[in-house]
Amino acid sequence: MAPEEFVNVSAGESAAISTEPLLESERVWTKLVKKTYKDPHGTIRTWESAERTTRHAGSDIDGVGIVAILENSSSSSQSTSSEPSIVLQKQYRPPLDKIVIEIPAGLSDPGESPSQTAIRELREETGYHVSQVLETSPVMYNDPGFCNTNLRMVHVSVDMSDERNQEGNLKPELEEGEFIECFVVKLTDLWDEIVKLEREGYAIDARIANLAEGIELAKKFKLT
């Protein structure tokens, strides 16, 4: 995908057309299951949940979320500040029928480590090239009361002095049917920005909201 083909998701016309039960023969990514379990008092109970069917053998995760920090960003016209910034995305999500504010993320390919998945997915979704993998989180579960979906968060730095990361040189490789608009926010402004975006009608992914909350708590209690 050439740089001029970046998608303006906010200007699009994506919208849900209908909702109906999913036939077993039509499912691709998930399945519904009923679990029978025994509670601490010995009572037998049941629980409805969803499971992903795409986790590869030998992997303990479905995919990764990517905290991509742009450093030396004053060299890029995407940011006028040298303060560290984070890469965010706008993407229409049919289950919510809304455009969602997210961090880059993606499913692992067979045999990939979390770091390898993060490097590949960031390049494919945003065009940015990782300069260093900083940290990989423990396994995190997105909504354990509903499904078994999980991931590891991978923190990476992006060197904005690398010509490949300059605006005009970014070359994302989006898949068919994938429409993503990327933008950059200073870490110090992250909480205020997501509050503003929610007021404008966007849905906020919990991963980026939790990160913003953590930054605000660190400020409030002077944890740094």
Side-chain angles (χ1 to χ4, degrees):
M1 171 177 279
E4 63 268 23
E5 294 181 274
F6 274 109
V7 177
N8 185 346
V9 172
S10 302
E13 299 294 334
S14 297
I17 297 172
S18 65
T19 302
E20 58 191 272
L22 178 67
L23 299 177
E24 179 69 15
S25 60
E26 295 177 328
R27 67 174 179 80
V28 177
W29 305 104
T30 60
K31 64 179 179 180
L32 294 176
V33 298
K34 181 175 74 172
K35 297 227 174 185
T36 301
Y37 69 100
K38 182 173 66 174
D39 73 14
H41 297 294
T43 302
I44 303 300
R45 302 182 183 276
T46 60
W47 194 280
E48 298 177 11
S49 62
E51 292 185 354
R52 268 197 177 274
T53 59
T54 53
R55 189 178 303 170
H56 299 292
S59 176
D60 63 348
I61 56 172
D62 297 306
V64 301
I66 308 163
V67 179
I69 305 300
L70 306 188
E71 299 185 286
N72 302 321
S73 56
S74 58
S75 62
S76 168
S77 59
Q78 286 192 329
S79 174
T80 60
S81 171
S82 60
E83 295 182 41
S85 300
I86 188 170
V87 180
L88 300 183
Q89 299 177 334
K90 295 178 181 178
Q91 186 168 191
Y92 174 76
R93 293 297 190 179
L96 302 183
D97 193 24
K98 283 188 174 185
I99 297 173
V100 183
I101 306 301
E102 306 175 341
I103 56 173
L107 299 177
S108 298
D109 283 347
E112 279 187 330
S113 68
S115 293
Q116 290 170 330
T117 302
I119 291 169
R120 174 182 57 79
E121 284 287 348
L122 189 69
R123 185 184 69 252
E124 291 177 355
E125 291 192 354
T126 72
Y128 285 115
H129 290 258
V130 170
S131 59
Q132 184 180 3
V133 176
L134 303 173
E135 187 172 354
T136 300
S137 78
V139 176
M140 303 170 68
Y141 293 86
N142 300 0
D143 191 349
F146 170 67
C147 64
N148 71 340
T149 302
N150 66 8
L151 52 71
R152 291 183 188 270
M153 297 289 285
V154 182
H155 301 185
V156 304
S157 64
V158 175
D159 182 2
M160 296 306 294
S161 65
D162 186 332
E163 289 188 1
R164 297 174 300 175
N165 293 327
Q166 297 295 309
E167 186 174 0
N169 295 334
L170 300 175
K171 297 180 180 179
E173 302 168 9
L174 297 178
E175 298 177 4
E176 175 66 25
E178 197 170 36
F179 304 95
I180 295 172
E181 178 184 345
C182 298
F183 64 109
V184 172
V185 176
K186 289 192 296 184
L187 283 175
T188 53
D189 296 339
L190 185 56
W191 177 259
D192 290 339
E193 183 66 17
I194 64 172
V195 168
K196 178 177 75 72
L197 288 165
E198 186 193 33
R199 287 173 180 163
E200 293 174 356
Y202 295 96
I204 310 299
D205 186 283
R207 286 165 288 191
I208 190 61
N210 290 343
L211 177 61
E213 282 186 297
I215 293 172
E216 291 304 298
L217 286 171
K219 291 178 185 176
K220 180 176 180 179
F221 293 102
K222 298 179 173 57
L223 300 181
T224 57

